[in-house]
Structures are given as structure tokens and as C-alpha cells.
Amino acid sequence: MSERTELEELGEFGLIDHLTKNIEHYQPSTIKGVGDDAAVIDRGDHYELVSTDMLIEGVHFDMSYTPLKHLGYKAIAVNVSDICAMNGNATQVTVGIAVSNRFPVEALEELYEGMLLACKAYEVDLVGGDTTTSLSGLMISVTAIGKVEKEKIAYRSGAKENDLICVSGDLGAAYIGLQILEREKSVWKENPKIQPDLEGHDYVLERFLKPEARVDINALLAQNNIVPTSMIDISDGLASEILHLCKNGKVGAKIYEEKIPVDAAVVSQCSDFNLEPSVCALNGGEDYELLFTAKQSDFEKINQLTEIKTIGHITDASEGVCLVYPKGEEIFIKAQGWKAF
Ligand code: ADP
Ligand code: MG
């Protein structure tokens, strides 16, 4: 009798591990395959980086409150972000779309307007793709290509004991943006006459609907001669990403709760939703900030960069991955980011 295993038994990461465990490489130029933010290919004097991410209607975006221009921008930005997470520069993208006939041409024009805006912002060239019909909604798959100097590459696996743990920008805003959109959607569903009230929430809404890849952070690190020892972009929440860095580096971590950067708008909205700001930062996703580790000797340099905050340090694996509260209480960090299945 043939076996049947449900997807939820494996979960997203379990499924990827399962499907990719028999992969063999035939090319000596393949330096890193599955398991990081991008694949790494040896091109002689530099490494080439390749990464793919998909956005699916009903899973990653809700057409009832997602402007297509923003969605196009986001589709490019999140892929460029994966190249940033290797400390590289994105250079080209290809775009695959599957569309149902529910969408008029004008809608797809808007989507492309957003994608081209992002291409301009990040100076990446859209060089190809594929277009097909879909029976259920819109799907966008983007592949980003980039490059990095060999000695500047940052894998997920390089963190060492005593390294600093650093994060760019602020966290949790995209999650709060999503909560506001979902709240207004449910109000509107109950009474379509009530217009959504999105006044005064520009920052958190933009963080969710139109995130930026932090190419400026890569540039800032390069200007200051800082090479991260490990790096990942925050797509699933700080908790999930620090666990990735620690698992790959076979290390532990201490993160100090009061050091996690959260915008004032997030703090004030959190009280409306009865949420702890640090919980939003840890478990909300889609901020697309960069989480990285750096050598202790870079502390002074990093300390002067206002866009980067040091939130903790790497420990021995035996200490686990801990969140330390201001009064000294410690808890183990568990990932509660988005579950794909
Ligand atoms: P990210 O959050 O950076 O997009 P993912 O969690 O999507 O990373 O993927 C983790 C790793 O698994 C990446 O290296 C990615 O290339 C690889 N991967 C994901 N899905 C597949 C797949 N279907 N086949 C092969 N590799 C995959
Ligand atoms: Mg991915």
C-alpha cells in the first residue's frame, strides 16, 4: 500500500529538508546550494548569488487591501533583500507571473509599474520571466541574481561565540500594519458602508505593503569596513531568524529585550491590539531588515551607525537561544513566525 504523508506533518522547513536531501552537485562552481538566503556560484574573481521567492494571492497577499503597484514593488524588494542578506548587490531579476482572467490588463500594468519602480530604486535589470494563466488567483515568482566580493560574503552559518548580534532599522511595524488592514477588512465585511480608517498609520502600512530591501545597510557596512560574520534577512520575524543563525552556526545567543528596536508608532498601536512590542518584533514577519553578527572588535564602529542596533551577543550552543528581560529573567526563544501549511 502506498503511503500518504500530510504536508503539515513536515512543516515548511521539514518539507524543504525532505525534498532537497538527495540533491547532488555536479558543478565545481556551486559553492553553496540549498540552505542560505541565496545560492552561491563561483565566477572566478567574485561569487554570483541566485535567489527565488514567490508571492501567492490568499497566502502572501490579500487582494482586498493590496494595491497592485505596491505588490509589484514588494515582489522585487523581497528578492533583492535575499541578495542583501548574503552581503551582496542584486544586479538582475526575472519575473514569472500566473494570472487568472479575473484581472484586467490595467491591473497587470499597475503590478509592472511597481516592479519597475523597485528595479529603478535598486538599480536591477528585469531581464526575463514567464507568463501563464492561473485557475486560482495571482502568483508572482521572482528570481534575483546578484554578486559579492568573495571575502565579503556573509552566510547564515558564520556566527562565533562572543560575536555581536545586530539588526538594522526597526522591527514589528509590518506586523502591526497587517493587523490594522485585517481589522479594517473585518469592519468593512460586517458593514460595507463603513470606510476603512487607515488615517495616521502611514508608517506601519507602508512597512507591510511596500517594504524596502536594505541595500543602504550593505553599503554602510562596506563603507565602514565591517564584514558580518553571518547574516539573514528578517522575513519571518526576529525569533525565527536568530534561530536560523544559531542553528547554522552551531552557537547560542542572548538577545536583550529592551534593545530590540521598535518604532514609537508600533509601541502605541501595540497597546490598541493588546500586544507586547517585543512580541511583534520577535514573531511578526515581513520587516525585511537585516539581522547579522559581527566581531566584538567592530563594536565601536557599529555603535556610531544610528541605523544599526546591537541587541545581544552569541554564546556557546549549550546556553541555547535566550531572550533576556530588563530584570534579568531569561526565556528560550521559539520560532512562531509564519507557518506555510
Ligand atoms: P528565505 O526565507 O530566505 O526565502 P526559505 O525558507 O524560503 O528562505 O528557503 C530556505 C532554503 O531552501 C533556501 O536556500 C531556498 O533556496 C531553499 N528552497 C526552498 N524551497 C525549495 C525547493 N522547493 N527546492 C529547492 N530548494 C528550496
Ligand atoms: Mg524563500
Side-chain angles (χ1 to χ4, degrees), residues 142-189:
V142 177
T143 296
I145 298 169
K147 62 178 183 176
V148 60
E149 288 168 49
K150 287 184 174 178
E151 54 288 354
K152 289 195 174 161
I153 192 160
Y155 292 104
R156 288 181 178 179
S157 59
K160 294 280 176 293
E161 196 174 348
N162 295 322
D163 281 357
L164 307 166
I165 301 171
C166 306
V167 68
S168 65
D170 58 80
L171 303 178
Y175 181 73
I176 288 295
L178 173 62
Q179 298 313 304
I180 291 172
L181 289 167
E182 288 285 342
R183 179 182 67 194
E184 295 307 314
K185 183 185 174 183
S186 60
V187 170
W188 181 82
K189 263 177 141 175

Side-chain angles (χ1 to χ4, degrees), residues 56-57 61 63 98-100 102-103 133-139:
I56 308 294
E57 181 179 349
F61 59 92
M63 281 307 302
V99 265
S100 77
R102 184 160 70 71
F103 289 91
T133 52
S134 149
L135 298 181
S136 62
L138 175 63
M139 292 173 235

Side-chain angles (χ1 to χ4, degrees), residues 12-13 16 19-20 23 33-38 51-53 82 156 233 235-236 241 244:
E12 180 187 351
F13 298 133
I16 296 173
L19 295 178
T20 59
I23 289 179
V34 171
D36 217 302
D37 292 292
S51 179
T52 297
D53 250 322
D82 275 324
R156 288 181 178 179
D233 66 329
S235 52
D236 293 342
E241 316 304 359
H244 279 309

